[in-house]
Every structure is written in C-alpha cells, then in structure tokens.
C-alpha cells in the first residue's frame, strides 16, 4: 500500500504518533488510507449538502475495510461570481483545486481518493488531480438541483439572468422579477439545467470515473445520493485492491465516449476547455477537430435547458446517462469494452432502458442528426471558436451583422442595458481570454440580457460562456486579443459573417487592411498585475489547450 510510506516500520514511529493524535488506532493504520475530498461550503448551493454525502462515503469506505480521512477543496459559485470581478477567479480556481489535491494526496501518501464535488470548475479540477496523481479514485457528485416552478412551468437559474434583461426592457415589472427570484432555485444542488456543472457530472460518468446515476440523480433525492456515496466508498477499496488507476480508465477511447455523450445531450461549451485539460494530465491530447468530428456523427437526442424546456430531473426519470449511452451504443457510437470504476461500459449499460422517448429520443429519431457543439474556423478565429449549436435559433444559424466592439464585459453590459445594441449587430467582447481577462470570464450577463430583451444579435468573445447561455454566442475565439489575435483588430462597423452549419466565422475586411491594423496594434497593459491572477496570466495555455497552466 502507498500509505505504508507514512505508516509502516520503525522509522515511521513519529508519523504514527501524529495519526494517533488524531484518534487513528494501530488497526486503522493497517488498512488502506482513503482520502475523502469534500468540497462542502456554505456559499455554493451545489455544495451545501456535501457533508452528508461525505459521511456516507466514509461509511462505505469503513464497511469495505478502509480508513477514511476527510480533507477539503475550495469552490467558486459561478452564479454568485457572475458579472463582476469574482468571475475572473472561476476558471483559475480549477487549477487551485487540482494543485491542492495533488499536494494533499501525495503529501500524505493516500492509497485512494473519493472525490466529492458538484459545481462547474470543481468537477474538472478533481478529475485533473486524479489523472495527475494517478492513484485509484472515484467521483461522487452532489447531484443536480430540482427545477423551480413559476406560473405552472419549470424554471432554473438561467431564467433569472434572462428576466433581468426582460426587466431592463420593460417587459416585466419588479414584482414579477421578485417572484421569479424566489422560485427559480428551490434547494441544494448544481443548477437544474444542462449547464457546465451537470454536464461535467454526466461526463464523469461517461468517462467511467463515476458510478451510474452520478450525473442525473437529483440532490433532493437524498436517500439515493447517500446510497451512491456509500457505493463509491466501497468501490474505492476494490480499485485499490486491483490497483486500477485513473489513467487506466481515462484513455483516449474513454474521452471519445465522453465527447460523444456530450454531443448527444448538447452539453456546455465549457467541456471544450475541461476535457482537454483533464486529458492533458493523463498525457493525452484532444484537439478541437476531434470534437467537431465526433459532433458530425453524433445525433442530438435530448433537449435540456437552456436548449429546451426539460431539466436534469427529467433526464434522470428517462433513464439517465446509462440510457443515453445505450441509445448511442445501438448506433455503434460507444466503445463498450472500456473499463470503468465499476465494470465495463457494456456491463453498465446492458440493462439501461429509455423510459421516456419524449425526453430522451431514440438515436434513429433525434432532434438533429449532428451534435450539440460546433467548432468554428475562419479569419476571425484561426485557432477556433466554440458555439453551442443546439441552443441557437434556426434563424441565427447563418447571420451577417455589424460589429459593436467592447474591450470588457462591463462595457458591453452597460451598452446593452442602455439599448446601444440593436437587431443586426454582432457584439464583440474582447480582452476577456485566459490571459487578457484575466481568467476567461463567462459571459452569461450580456447573453442573458440579449435574450431577455428579445434582441436578434450575435455575440463573439475570446472569453467563454456559461452552460446556461443560449443564442448565437461564439466563445473561446483564438488567438485571444491579448496576444494580438484577429479579434483584437475588429472595429465598430465591420461586417462579420457567421455560418454555424458551415463552421465559418469571417471578418469581412481585406487581408491588406488587416495587415495594416495588425502593424498598428499594441498590447494593452495587463488588467491585473499582482496576486494569483497575475501568475495565472503568465502561465496559462491557450483556450484550445484547455486554458490549463503550463
């Protein structure tokens, strides 16, 4: 056992005395030492209940003959951080999660890890750590929030951000806005739509690093989630016994399975950052072309918010990710022979049933023949851009408009709020990339304002979008403005052509004019010059590599 480095032999008497000070008996130290990484906090609704799941996981570990040891992980709530400088810390916090788990797991010689996250950057951060330290590990998340109810309809957090735009446009009054506030988020869990947190929890399952049900069993189903956590606690001892490690599970073929599921369910565009960053820790590369190739052959079979009216609880009732994978496997799109933390993929999904084809369509009768995410190329995005095609209106899939350029999210929000943006415009928000932002902020505030105000405009950014974003919103545009990418050269009044089915994003300016603008361009001063974000900006990779630290 790895823990014997810290617990066995006469030279470790001092080490054992420190364990005894914590209440561990000599017998406890003869069993596998299992780290229970608990992301509980009182500021993140998705994490408020994780203490209960942690206790359940400990029971599972102990019942299977291990010694559980809890330690914490941080988490930023993207919804609370949205629209102000706090969002600059969201994506960079992923690296802090991964680094801190590496330090704790290696520093204390754990034999295995049970990883208990729930929200946006914490799930990929924990998976990055698992791949990096490469000791047996299993993920068990907190589960999705149930949808709220308002005027007889299911709603979620995205409805509130869009309601802000409706209020600014005079479409609803303050009383209606307040009623929506009270209704949208009825309890703990990761926000109810197929936003980034729920997408990543589903993909942890598709990757094979989490048990079936991890992505879709609602947080409010506390009994079911505790049973899942107990099962994860038992499973980790089996993984330790077999020495089955994350890199044995998270192979290139497993990532292809996960991307296929991502495209089939229309997941968040943030997966195009997180999956490459996780793969990189496992010594693998996931180029943008792979996402586009898989999208081209994968049917889009469930239409969840923000792309549709259903929420995670509906997908759970329809059979969850196992049923999604069973539908895809029937079309030969899933590799069933791969290992997971609990048997092979094929063993997991053989008994899965699609219980509601109105929510989860059969793969031979999809909403659309191709997947939910598209990778854009063109003279405005030589390194690519990402759009959630499944959440774009049909009349915006091909669109040419006039550029309205802003050098920060705040400037764009102010202009949209005072109605300086009109139908037919293409809003360009730049210097919000990994280096320029710093931290590649999500742009839910401007996109939700646009949706709520009913504007027919597109939005382009070298930043990124919330999983709750809908509309013709293309993010991750690279190279980013801070390094002189073409998005830095766009001027007000330029024509921009968007062809999402054709995967093209073009700035209608001559090559000669662009060369002149490039020669005159100078990099601006960094927005942040001290602290963690300053270090992050100096070390971060491009978005096409997952915006991970080099």
């Amino acid at each position: 056992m790895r823990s014997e480095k810290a617990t066995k032999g006469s030279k470790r008497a001092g080490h054992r005395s420190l364990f005894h000070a914590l209440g561990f008996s000599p017998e406890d130290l003869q069993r596998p030492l299992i780290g229970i990484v608990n992301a509980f906090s009182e500021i993140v609704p998705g994490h408020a209940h994780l203490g209960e799941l942690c206790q359940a996981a400990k029971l599972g570990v102990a019942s299977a003959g291990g010694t559980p040891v809890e330690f914490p992980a941080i988490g930023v709530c993207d919804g609370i951080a949205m629209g102000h400088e706090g969002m600059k810390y969201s994506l960079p916090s992923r690296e802090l999660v991964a680094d801190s788990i590496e330090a704790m797991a290696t520093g204390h010689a754990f034999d295995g890890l049970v990883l208990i996250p729930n929200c946006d950057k914490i799930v990929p951060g924990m998976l990055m750590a698992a791949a990096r330290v490469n000791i047996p590990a299993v993920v068990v998340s907190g589960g999705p929030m149930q949808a709220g109810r308002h005027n007889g309809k299911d709603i979620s957090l995205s409805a509130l951000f869009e309601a802000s735009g409706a209020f600014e446009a005079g479409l609803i009054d303050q009383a209606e806005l307040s009623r929506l506030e009270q209704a949208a988020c009825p309890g703990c869990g990761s926000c109810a739509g197929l936003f980034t947190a729920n997408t990543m929890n589903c993909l942890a399952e598709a990757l094979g690093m989490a048990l079936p049900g991890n992505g879709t069993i609602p947080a409010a189903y506390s009994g079911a989630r505790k049973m899942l956590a107990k099962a994860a606690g038992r499973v980790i001892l089996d993984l330790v016994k077999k020495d089955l490690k994350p890199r044995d599970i998270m192979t290139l073929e497993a990532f292809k399975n996960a991307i296929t599921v991502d495209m089939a369910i229309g997941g968040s565009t943030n997966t195009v950052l997180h999956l490459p960053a996780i793969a990189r820790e496992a010594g693998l590369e996931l180029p943008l072309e792979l996402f586009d190739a898989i999208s081209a052959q994968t049917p889009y079979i469930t239409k969840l918010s923000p792309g549709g009216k259903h929420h995670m609880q509906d997908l759970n009732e329809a059979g969850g990710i196992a049923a999604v994978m069973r539908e895809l496997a029937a079309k030969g799109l899933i590799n069933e022979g791969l290992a997971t933390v609990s048997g092979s993929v094929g063993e997991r999904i053989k008994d899965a049933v699609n219980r509601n084809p109105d929510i989860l369509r059969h793969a031979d009768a999809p909403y659309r023949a191709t997947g939910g995410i598209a990778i854009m190329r063109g003279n405005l995005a030589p390194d690519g851009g990402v759009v959630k095609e499944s959440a774009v209106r049909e009349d915006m899939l091909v669109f040419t408009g006039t550029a309205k350029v802003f050098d920060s999210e705040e400037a764009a929000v102010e202009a949209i709020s005072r109605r300086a943006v009109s139908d037919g415009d293409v809003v360009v928000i730049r210097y919000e990339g990994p280096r320029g932002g710093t931290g590649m902020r999500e742009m839910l505030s401007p996109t939700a304002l646009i949706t709520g105000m009913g504007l027919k405009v597109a939005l382009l950014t070298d930043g990124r979008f919330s999983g709750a974003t809908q509309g013709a919103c293309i993010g991750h545009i690279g190279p980013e403005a801070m390094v002189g990418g073409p998005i830095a050269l766009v001027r007000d009044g330029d024509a921009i052509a968007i062809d999402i089915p054709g995967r093209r994003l073009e700035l209608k300016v001559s090559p000669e004019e662009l060369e002149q603008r490039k020669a005159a361009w100078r990099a601006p001063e960094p927005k942040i010059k001290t602290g963690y974000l300053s270090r992050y900006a100096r070390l971060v990779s491009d978005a096409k590599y997952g915006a991970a630290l080099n």
Side-chain angles (χ1 to χ4, degrees):
M1 295 190 300
R2 294 172 180 82
S3 58
E4 290 178 351
K5 298 176 184 177
T7 62
K8 189 173 182 179
S10 60
K11 294 184 178 63
R12 298 297 181 257
H15 302 61
R16 290 192 295 273
S17 70
L18 293 169
F19 277 106
H20 298 330
L22 292 165
F24 293 97
S25 69
E27 293 75 21
D28 291 332
L29 301 184
Q30 293 172 14
R31 304 184 184 112
L33 204 62
I34 306 299
I36 313 291
V37 191
N38 183 6
F40 164 79
S41 76
E42 293 183 342
I43 191 63
V44 185
H47 292 189
H49 62 306
L50 296 189
E52 296 179 358
L53 299 187
C54 182
Q55 293 305 313
K58 288 180 183 179
L59 287 172
V61 168
S63 70
T67 297
V69 186
E70 178 183 349
F71 65 89
I74 67 163
V76 173
C77 177
D78 278 19
I80 295 174
M82 193 71 66
H84 59 87
E85 63 183 4
M87 179 49 70
K88 293 177 183 287
Y89 286 87
S90 174
L91 184 59
S93 75
R94 184 188 69 182
E95 314 304 310
L96 293 175
V97 170
D99 290 351
S100 63
I101 293 172
E102 175 195 359
M104 292 294 288
T106 306
H108 300 101
F110 286 111
D111 295 300
L113 297 171
V114 177
L115 304 165
I116 308 179
N118 210 26
C119 290
D120 295 48
K121 308 310 160 298
I122 301 87
V123 180
M126 288 192 179
L127 285 168
M128 288 168 66
R132 186 186 303 173
V133 301
N134 203 33
I135 62 175
V138 60
V139 174
V140 57
S141 77
M145 186 184 294
Q146 289 192 285
R149 294 284 292 176
H150 180 71
N151 291 342
K153 295 181 179 179
D154 286 347
I155 62 170
S156 64
L157 180 65
S158 60
L160 261 296
F161 283 93
E162 292 166 11
S164 297
F167 176 77
E168 294 290 337
L171 301 177
I172 63 173
D173 59 18
Q174 181 63 57
E176 176 68 359
L177 185 61
S178 296
R179 284 191 290 270
L180 282 162
E181 282 181 36
Q182 297 299 319
C185 298
C188 65
S190 46
C191 298
L194 189 62
F195 312 146
T196 304
N198 289 326
T199 302
M200 288 307 303
N201 281 323
C202 288
L203 298 192
E205 190 177 329
L207 267 174
M209 287 297 294
L211 295 173
N214 181 76
T216 59
I217 297 172
Y221 296 5
S222 61
R225 293 244 49 123
K226 287 176 184 176
M227 284 190 281
L228 193 70
K230 286 180 186 176
R234 292 190 295 270
V235 159
I236 191 60
L237 271 297
D238 185 52
L239 296 174
V240 169
K241 181 179 179 180
K242 295 176 179 176
D243 199 28
L244 185 63
K245 299 184 288 293
R247 293 188 194 181
D248 300 324
I249 294 169
M250 290 193 285
T251 63
L252 180 58
E253 290 302 310
F255 279 102
K256 289 179 180 179
N257 273 359
I259 295 170
T260 300
V261 170
D262 190 17
M263 298 305 162
I265 62 178
S268 166
T269 54
N270 281 313
T271 59
V272 184
L273 289 173
H274 296 323
L275 290 178
I278 298 163
R280 192 179 187 189
E281 297 288 357
L284 303 170
E285 291 186 9
L286 300 182
L288 294 181
E289 289 76 14
L290 180 61
F291 286 83
D292 213 35
I294 291 175
S295 182
Q297 67 179 18
T298 304
Y300 174 48
I301 57 177
T302 185
K303 206 171 177 65
L304 304 180
S305 173
K309 64 180 180 179
H310 299 301
H311 293 82
M312 297 305 297
Q313 64 206 49
D314 301 308
L315 180 58
N316 186 64
E317 291 173 11
I321 294 303
V324 171
M325 296 182 76
R326 179 71 182 272
E327 289 287 353
L328 297 171
K331 302 289 284 186
L333 298 174
I334 291 293
N335 188 328
E336 298 184 57
L338 304 181
T340 78
V341 293
S342 59
S344 70
V345 172
E347 289 168 342
R348 280 186 166 199
I349 69 174
K350 64 182 175 65
D351 295 324
V353 176
N354 182 349
R355 300 188 188 95
N356 191 337
D358 291 334
I359 293 169
L360 175 59
R361 290 196 175 180
H362 296 303
D364 57 3
Y367 285 102
R368 199 175 59 233
T370 57
I373 293 175
I375 305 300
M376 308 290 286
R377 298 281 186 181
N379 70 345
L380 189 48
D383 285 353
V386 182
V387 62
K388 189 169 184 173
E389 185 176 6
S390 59
V392 181
R393 286 175 9 199
E394 289 293 325
D395 63 350
M396 291 295 290
L397 290 170
V398 178
F399 181 79
T400 297
T402 303
K404 288 280 183 71
V405 183
F406 305 95
D407 288 346
S408 70
E409 179 188 7
E410 288 85 355
V413 168
E414 188 276 330
I416 296 166
S417 297
R418 63 179 167 83
R419 306 190 187 187
V421 171
S422 306
D423 286 351
D425 287 339
V426 177
V427 175
V428 177
I429 305 177
R430 61 192 181 191
Y431 298 105
E432 291 287 4
R435 296 180 183 86
T438 297
M440 205 177 183
R441 287 192 286 181
E442 289 185 340
M443 300 287 153
L444 181 56
S445 293
T447 62
L449 277 173
I450 287 167
T451 300
M453 296 172 78
L455 293 171
K456 187 178 180 180
V457 304
L459 195 153
L460 314 179
T461 182
D462 53 5
R464 60 195 178 92
F465 294 113
S466 166
T469 289
Q470 61 175 303
C473 301
I474 303 171
H476 309 192
I477 290 176
E480 65 172 290
M482 196 65 180
V483 299
I487 193 171
L489 311 179
V490 183
R491 294 179 179 174
D492 283 342
D494 287 346
I496 295 176
I498 299 167
D499 181 358
I500 294 175
R503 306 304 197 244
R504 300 300 298 172
L505 181 60
E506 298 287 342
L507 178 61
K508 296 298 184 179
V509 174
S510 71
E512 295 77 15
E513 171 66 16
L514 284 178
E515 282 299 320
Q516 292 176 12
R517 294 184 189 182
K518 177 69 174 177
W521 176 83
R522 298 292 181 272
E525 285 290 310
K527 294 177 182 176
I528 297 175
K529 299 180 181 180
T530 61
Y532 174 58
L533 290 185
S534 177
R535 296 196 302 276
Y536 177 87
R538 292 195 298 270
L539 298 173
V540 72
S541 67
D542 295 337
K544 66 179 179 179
Y545 300 121
L549 294 185
N550 288 311

